[in-house]
Amino acid sequence: MSINSIRDVLLIEDNPGDARLLQEMFRDHGGAATRLTWIQAMGEAEAHLAANEVDAILLDLGLPDVQGLDAVRRARAAAPLVALVVLTGLDDESAAAAALQEGAGDYLIKGEIETRSLMRSLRYAIERQTMQTVMNAISARAIATLNCIGDAVACTDMSGTVTFLNLAAETMTGWSSRQAQGRPMADVFQILDGTTRMSVLSPVDVGARWLATIHLPSHAVLIRRDGFETAVEDSIAPIRDRNGLETGAVFVLRDATRTRAMTKEITYAAEHDFLTGLPNRIVLNGRISQAIAAGLRNNTKAALLFLDIDGFKHINDSLGHAVGDKLLQSIAKRLVLCVRGSDTISRQGGDEFVVLLGKMNERAGAVTSSKRLLAAVAQPHSIDGHDLHVTASIGISVYPDDGLDAETLIKNADTAMYQAKASGRQGYQFFKPAMNVRAVERQSIEEGLRRAVERGEFVLHYQPKVNLASGAISGMEALLRWQHPVRGLIAPAQFIPVAEDCGLILSIGAWVLREACAQAKTWLDAGLPAAKMAVNVSGIEFQDSGFANRIFRILEESGLPSAALEVELTESVLMKSSEHAVEILGALHERGVTLAIDDFGTGYSSLSYLRRFPIDVLKIDQSFIRQISRDGDDSAIVTAVIGLAKNLKLSVVAEGVETVEELDFLRAQRCDEVQGYYFSQPVPAPVFEQLLRSGIVPAETEMDKKTFAYGD
Ligand code: C2E
Ligand code: MG
Ligand code: MG
């Protein structure tokens, strides 16, 4: 900038001599382009500045209305963006220095001023002012930017003293930037390690260089002035000047509440089952490893209980996944209440739960827990208006007896669970090495079953029921056999539980019904003595929504009168789905289909349902018939059941009659019908046809009990 571009200069000076001297210097300089306005007091100058623009001010510090620094301040206030040069006396350099602090651009000492230095000084002050204006704008923009970002930003000088806080830092610390300025960092930023609750910023040690090297622990929390805590993450960087020298530090704190909550959520999700909130298999495996390590150290045992819900797939399929899910949640809640806090219950997926009992001294401990778990599951679950009765089966493996690692222990507990299922459900079994062989066998049965229907490998055998009063064959029970291409004839007990588990029972059951009805119709049409065809129905089939209609359709297709069909159900099937049962049994009864309770006395034995359901026949389980010949006392049960049936006007059939003593006893008790090896074992259709034609000749039924390749 040349002096010629300075158009207006205001001289505030009460001494006319000094003023005249300066006016002459301007004139000498030939600065016709520069207008010098002379005013003698501050009040007047302020009025002038309010109305006019000037490029620079020359200010005497000894005015009549204001002196010294106050004069500088008033001049700055009146024209904050105008370059200011102060005029001082020879002996007053310190006042001049103070004036520079207050924003003066330069100073001149009266008596030493000459034209060139005056002009240089003015030019210098104007340049400095322009620069300052630019800097102010940049800094205002920077502060506005810092105030917009959500992270807390604080600056310190080299001693670690706060020089600046942005808005977010003000909010997070509870300190205003102005209050915080000049205080040590540790006063304003109280940061604790969230885990140890120890201070992270030490008041003694907080220089900028030190600040730039620290890293906050991963669980740091910032304590606001009012005590409120915010989870924070940090980044700290040194501030350097143009020469690369550190002059302070920038401290940036991010509110980590959300990220930390998210991390927590993700970790939780990775370790827990979404449906039940139980630990998942990853956590379980870890806990098993811990239990094994503890077992090694302390020579203790641990048990794994593999729990599977009986017939869960069926509930899911018939009542829908939403009900299935709620049932699993209800079960999970109860299981948790059954074990100690130090034990682990996890869901493996589906309807499988695994319980780890750590520090177990006796196998008996696992038995107690199993019983408690089974009882808890068996209590009715009230879900969406359904009263669901479910049972579970448990397999138990013990460390170190049954395995030394998590995988083997789980696998063996699983195998034992299948065994528990196969031997009647709602029970528990300890693992035995022989079970592994059976597990393999089970697998091969399942694979074979899938092809058995298409390949026509199933056959029905028929066992007669004899009416004790007339001695005639009054009916027959269709009993399923699997003619396996390699293994020979397989008994139903070997494969029906497997078929129930894998859902194949529905198609197998439909085949049995169709075959039995067609056969009965053939015999009827052939003019053989009328006999009722009894068919066994599994609980899974019964609970299937299409059950009744399937029976009606098959009856129609075969042309067999409904009255010639009897359906055998077990007590537990009726108890499990009592609402549904009333409806289905009602429909079947109305059509004239006979309803029989199979294996009576072995299930729930709740007699109230006998009144609720339209039942026609009770089949006394063969275990009670066996007692007749073995032990006279227990035959009282048979007597009682027959009496009960008579009372309820139900017909009674005794199953599994093998001896003449049994037969005599039953006859004496006026049992209606009997079925058993004493008369005939189940036989293929052509043989049964002979029996129907000729009638039963008991003495001839010398049995060969080794009919099956796999005995019951
Ligand atoms: P269940 O309905 O109680 O059938 C009676 C079982 O006792 C039959 O065994 C029969 O062979 C056997 N049995 C008959 N008389 C005597 C006897 O005097 N002494 C002895 N020890 N046993 C006798 P099986 O055929 O092995 O059938 C076993 C079970 O398999 C049946 O018990 C039934 O619950 C089930 N089952 C058989 N066929 C079918 C079917 O087509 N569908 C379904 N869902 N289950 C079936
Ligand atoms: Mg039966
Ligand atoms: Mg039976």
Side-chain angles (χ1 to χ4, degrees):
M1 176 180 295
S2 89
I3 186 66
N4 293 331
S5 62
I6 306 178
R7 284 189 307 269
D8 279 293
V9 175
L10 173 65
L11 170 64
I12 312 173
E13 170 63 81
D14 62 334
N15 184 325
D18 289 346
R20 207 167 308 121
L21 208 64
L22 288 165
Q23 279 170 330
E24 270 163 24
M25 284 182 194
F26 270 92
R27 210 173 308 125
D28 285 355
H29 185 71
T34 308
R35 187 168 55 230
L36 184 71
T37 310
W38 174 35
I39 286 175
Q40 286 177 294
M42 184 55 79
E44 234 177 296
E46 283 166 339
H48 179 85
L49 286 169
N52 300 280
E53 272 189 27
V54 300
D55 296 314
I57 300 169
L58 282 166
L59 172 67
D60 173 38
L61 291 185
L63 295 173
D65 51 350
V66 65
Q67 289 82 36
L69 275 188
D70 286 341
V72 179
R73 286 191 194 116
R74 277 176 65 176
R76 290 302 291 166
L81 301 180
V82 176
L84 176 70
V85 175
V86 296
L87 308 167
T88 61
L90 186 56
D91 52 353
D92 210 6
E93 280 213 49
S94 67
L100 291 183
Q101 284 288 320
E102 283 295 325
D106 202 1
Y107 66 92
L108 293 165
I109 296 167
K110 285 186 182 176
E112 292 182 355
I113 305 173
E114 32 105 9
T115 309
R116 267 191 338 141
S117 65
L118 169 67
M119 292 310 157
R120 196 188 317 114
S121 182
L122 275 173
R123 205 162 52 233
Y124 177 64
I126 287 172
E127 258 170 34
R128 214 177 132 176
Q129 182 58 50
T130 311
M131 195 108 87
Q132 191 58 52
T133 308
V134 171
M135 288 303 288
N136 285 348
I138 291 174
S139 134
R141 204 181 313 141
I143 289 174
T145 311
L146 286 172
N147 281 339
C148 282
I149 65 171
D151 296 345
V153 180
C155 300
T156 74
D157 61 16
M158 276 311 283
S159 67
T161 303
V162 175
T163 56
F164 169 79
L165 294 186
N166 74 346
L167 256 177
E170 289 184 334
T171 317
M172 270 162 78
T173 59
W175 288 83
S176 75
S177 185
R178 193 178 292 272
Q179 290 169 327
Q181 273 167 33
R183 289 178 176 271
M185 266 303 269
D187 274 11
V188 178
F189 286 85
Q190 285 199 45
I191 300 176
L192 303 186
D193 181 317
T195 328
T196 62
R197 308 297 291 179
M198 300 285 280
S199 239
V200 176
L201 296 186
S202 128
V204 233
D205 212 4
V206 196
R209 186 158 297 134
W210 180 81
L211 262 180
T213 61
I214 64 159
H215 259 293
L216 296 191
S218 56
H219 293 294
V221 286
L222 173 70
I223 314 288
R224 205 164 64 189
R225 273 179 108 177
D226 60 4
F228 182 84
E229 300 191 8
T230 313
V232 288
E233 295 168 341
D234 69 318
S235 83
I236 299 169
I239 305 176
R240 293 177 206 278
D241 67 10
R242 249 186 290 178
N243 303 316
L245 291 174
E246 285 177 22
T247 60
V250 191
F251 190 71
V252 180
L253 278 188
R254 181 160 306 136
D255 181 338
T257 313
R258 275 191 48 170
T259 8
R260 234 172 260 174
M262 224 144 83
T263 315
K264 222 166 145 185
E265 226 167 84
I266 292 168
T267 319
Y268 183 86
E271 293 181 343
H272 290 81
D273 166 40
F274 70 98
L275 185 65
T276 59
L278 293 178
N280 63 15
R281 70 173 77 201
I282 299 170
V283 175
L284 176 75
N285 282 348
R287 303 258 172 93
I288 296 176
S289 303
Q290 285 168 12
I292 289 175
L296 274 177
R297 269 198 313 275
N298 313 326
N299 210 12
T300 49
K301 288 180 192 279
L304 262 201
L305 276 46
F306 200 112
L307 183 148
D308 185 282
I309 309 303
D310 300 327
F312 178 76
K313 182 180 176 326
H314 176 67
I315 291 179
N316 228 12
D317 291 349
S318 55
L319 299 178
H321 289 270
V323 172
D325 284 355
K326 285 184 196 165
L327 176 61
L328 289 176
Q329 287 167 339
S330 162
I331 290 170
K333 266 196 211 136
R334 291 192 196 167
L335 296 183
V336 170
L337 297 177
C338 290
V339 297
R340 292 174 301 185
S342 56
D343 298 332
T344 303
I345 296 218
S346 78
R347 188 167 83 116
Q348 290 293 92
D351 59 338
E352 298 172 339
F353 297 85
V354 173
V355 184
L356 167 68
L357 308 175
K359 285 199 231 124
M360 196 195 55
N361 297 322
E362 298 286 334
R363 286 166 93 91
V367 171
T368 315
S369 294
S370 296
K371 284 183 178 163
R372 209 180 304 134
L373 292 164
L374 290 177
V377 173
Q379 292 294 316
H381 300 259
S382 149
I383 285 158
D384 290 355
H386 302 275
D387 249 353
L388 298 179
H389 294 255
V390 289
T391 55
S393 302
I394 294 180
I396 308 167
S397 67
V398 175
Y399 167 86
D401 314 358
D402 304 325
L404 298 175
D405 58 76
E407 197 188 335
T408 315
L409 286 166
I410 293 179
K411 191 183 95 227
N412 288 343
D414 184 20
T415 304
M417 184 277 293
Y418 269 112
Q419 206 53 51
K421 237 171 226 231
S423 41
R425 303 180 163 204
Q426 192 168 21
Y428 58 88
Q429 288 270 331
F430 278 96
F431 172 77
K432 294 184 205 76
M435 287 178 180
N436 270 331
V437 182
R438 282 190 229 163
V440 171
E441 186 174 295
R442 196 200 124 91
Q443 186 70 32
S444 97
I445 286 179
E446 187 174 328
E447 280 159 23
L449 272 180
R450 294 190 185 279
R451 294 184 302 262
V453 178
E454 321 149 17
R455 293 187 179 174
E457 291 172 2
F458 288 119
V459 280
L460 289 183
H461 283 187
Y462 301 93
Q463 188 178 34
K465 275 187 273 182
V466 176
N467 183 301
L468 281 185
S470 67
I473 295 178
S474 51
M476 56 265 177
E477 178 171 7
L479 293 158
L480 181 61
R481 275 90 185 88
W482 179 9
Q483 185 63 63
H484 193 280
V486 182
R487 301 168 169 219
L489 208 59
I490 304 182
Q494 301 288 309
F495 63 87
I496 285 193
V498 182
E500 285 178 336
D501 268 351
C502 64
L504 281 170
I505 191 68
L506 290 180
S507 57
I508 295 175
W511 179 87
V512 169
L513 253 171
R514 219 175 285 122
E515 177 72 13
C517 289
Q519 183 61 72
K521 171 73 169 145
T522 308
W523 286 331
L524 201 65
D525 289 351
L528 293 167
K532 228 174 239 185
M533 176 64 81
V535 174
N536 293 285
V537 167
S538 136
I540 308 274
E541 289 175 82
F542 183 71
Q543 282 167 29
D544 186 64
S545 56
F547 176 69
N549 285 333
R550 188 156 54 239
I551 291 196
F552 298 147
R553 201 174 51 245
I554 289 173
L555 277 172
E556 264 160 41
E557 281 165 14
S558 66
L560 185 74
S562 310
L565 180 66
E566 180 168 319
V567 167
E568 293 192 7
L569 292 158
T570 58
E571 293 165 277
S572 55
V573 169
L574 298 183
M575 293 310 295
K576 258 188 208 168
S577 48
S578 51
E579 292 312 310
H580 171 79
V582 173
E583 206 177 298
I584 304 295
L585 295 183
L588 292 173
H589 182 77
E590 208 168 289
R591 285 276 191 117
V593 176
T594 304
L595 301 170
I597 301 295
D598 204 351
D599 306 342
F600 185 76
T602 59
Y604 285 81
S605 297
S606 145
L607 297 178
S608 66
Y609 74 89
L610 288 177
R611 287 186 199 280
R612 285 181 61 203
F613 302 128
I615 290 157
D616 307 290
V617 180
L618 288 190
K619 296 188 75 178
I620 307 176
D621 189 67
Q622 43 178 292
S623 56
F624 300 112
I625 306 302
R626 217 51 1 100
Q627 302 301 331
I628 296 173
S629 10
R630 278 188 208 144
D631 175 1
D633 283 356
D634 267 9
S635 55
I637 295 177
V638 177
T639 312
V641 172
I642 295 174
L644 170 83
K646 297 267 175 233
N647 253 325
L648 294 169
K649 308 224 170 355
L650 303 177
S651 162
V652 205
V653 181
E655 288 188 287
V657 176
E658 290 183 356
T659 64
V660 72
E661 290 90 349
E662 291 162 4
L663 185 66
D664 288 345
F665 181 85
L666 291 163
R667 189 178 278 128
Q669 297 299 321
R670 313 185 71 79
C671 180
D672 301 304
E673 289 170 298
V674 287
Q675 179 184 347
Y677 293 169
Y678 179 78
F679 296 104
S680 166
Q681 55 178 288
V683 291
V687 182
F688 191 82
E689 195 173 313
Q690 285 308 117
L691 284 178
L692 268 184
R693 272 185 216 289
S694 56
I696 291 280
V697 189
E700 283 179 10
T701 53
E702 192 40 57
M703 343 154 238
D704 173 16
K705 288 187 182 169
K706 290 204 183 303
T707 313
F708 296 122
Y710 293 81
D712 337 14

